[in-house]
Amino acid sequence: MVKQRIQRSIRITRYILYKETLLDFKESFWSFIGAFFGIGLIAFIQSFYLPDIENIFLIGSFGASCVLIYGAIQSPLAQPRNLIGGHVVSAIIGVTIYNLVPSVVWISAPLAVSFSIIAMQYTKTLHPPGGATALIAVIGTEKIKSLGYMYVLSPVLTGTLILFVVALLFNNMTKGRCYPTNRKYTRLFKMKTIKNRQQY
């Protein structure tokens, strides 16, 4: 009995390690294409009116969003409500905190991130890169800070909308990817995973 349990545990461990180390080249390809075009479009559009160094700061949080919406499309944190809402809510919080406490960065920076997390939780728009969006509003360059609440509309809202449209295009080009993820698709995906684990 104990021997069978140990052998079963070893089989399950091997299976999990094997599955976790498999590379899905098709999935990686579409993740790359989506991220490339999403970030490329934002960088191209923003390069017309913001200096290069500010583009780098702005795209920092968008880069993290790309990991979710192109590389982990099943994640609840990658869904449209979270992507758009998380960035917008966090941008509003960041600009507001900067307006209230503009010169004390050791207070304004943690306040912006902390309040953005709480606001995203209450609005059900939790999106980890949103914390960076709030932080950028506080510690960004003078050009970014001078945008005020325009920062929320552009580059934040416009950038997230571009990422979202690109995600809709590239994440739905193949049969195996579906974005936004619907409940039926997620349920099938989970059932398939459970079945595979039970076989071992």
Side-chain angles (χ1 to χ4, degrees):
M1 181 93 170
V2 174
K3 189 177 179 182
Q4 287 177 331
R5 276 186 167 171
I6 291 170
Q7 286 176 340
R8 185 173 186 275
S9 295
I10 290 169
R11 279 197 316 272
I12 290 170
T13 304
R14 277 185 188 161
Y15 174 75
I16 291 170
L17 288 174
Y18 172 73
K19 289 297 271 184
E20 289 298 317
T21 55
L22 279 179
L23 291 175
D24 186 345
F25 293 107
K26 201 183 234 181
E27 189 77 15
S28 298
F29 172 77
W30 288 110
S31 297
F32 173 84
I33 293 294
F36 181 84
F37 278 96
I39 292 296
L41 274 172
I42 295 170
F44 179 73
I45 292 166
Q46 290 182 354
S47 67
F48 285 110
Y49 68 97
L50 287 174
D52 290 343
I53 190 155
E54 291 178 26
N55 279 341
I56 291 166
F57 286 128
L58 290 170
I59 293 174
S61 58
F62 294 152
S65 290
C66 286
V67 173
L68 287 168
I69 66 168
Y70 304 120
I73 62 174
Q74 298 267 341
S75 170
L77 304 176
Q79 301 314 303
R81 177 186 174 122
N82 299 73
L83 168 69
I84 298 166
H87 276 293
V88 170
V89 165
S90 298
I92 292 168
I93 297 289
V95 173
T96 304
I97 294 296
Y98 177 73
N99 287 338
L100 294 173
V101 194
S103 56
V104 191
V105 76
W106 60 272
I107 291 178
S108 59
L111 278 177
V113 175
S114 303
F115 275 122
S116 71
I117 293 169
I118 300 298
M120 286 188 287
Q121 287 174 331
Y122 275 105
T123 56
K124 304 277 192 261
T125 58
L126 197 62
H127 186 67
T133 299
L135 190 59
I136 289 164
V138 172
I139 65 165
T141 61
E142 289 309 312
K143 175 79 173 178
I144 292 169
K145 291 173 185 174
S146 69
L147 291 172
Y149 286 100
M150 276 303 295
Y151 170 74
V152 178
L153 296 175
S154 180
V156 174
L157 180 60
T158 54
T160 52
L161 288 176
I162 290 167
L163 291 178
F164 173 61
V165 169
V166 171
L168 285 177
L169 291 172
F170 290 103
N171 287 339
N172 293 303
M173 281 188 160
T174 61
K175 202 165 58 170
R177 290 167 69 93
C178 178
Y179 182 83
T181 304
N182 61 38
R183 288 185 183 148
K184 181 182 171 188
Y185 187 80
T186 304
R187 200 166 39 246
L188 287 171
F189 179 79
K190 285 181 180 175
M191 283 170 48
K192 189 177 175 183
T193 306
I194 290 166
K195 270 185 187 175
N196 287 340
R197 285 183 182 167
Q198 286 174 347
Q199 287 174 357
Y200 291 88

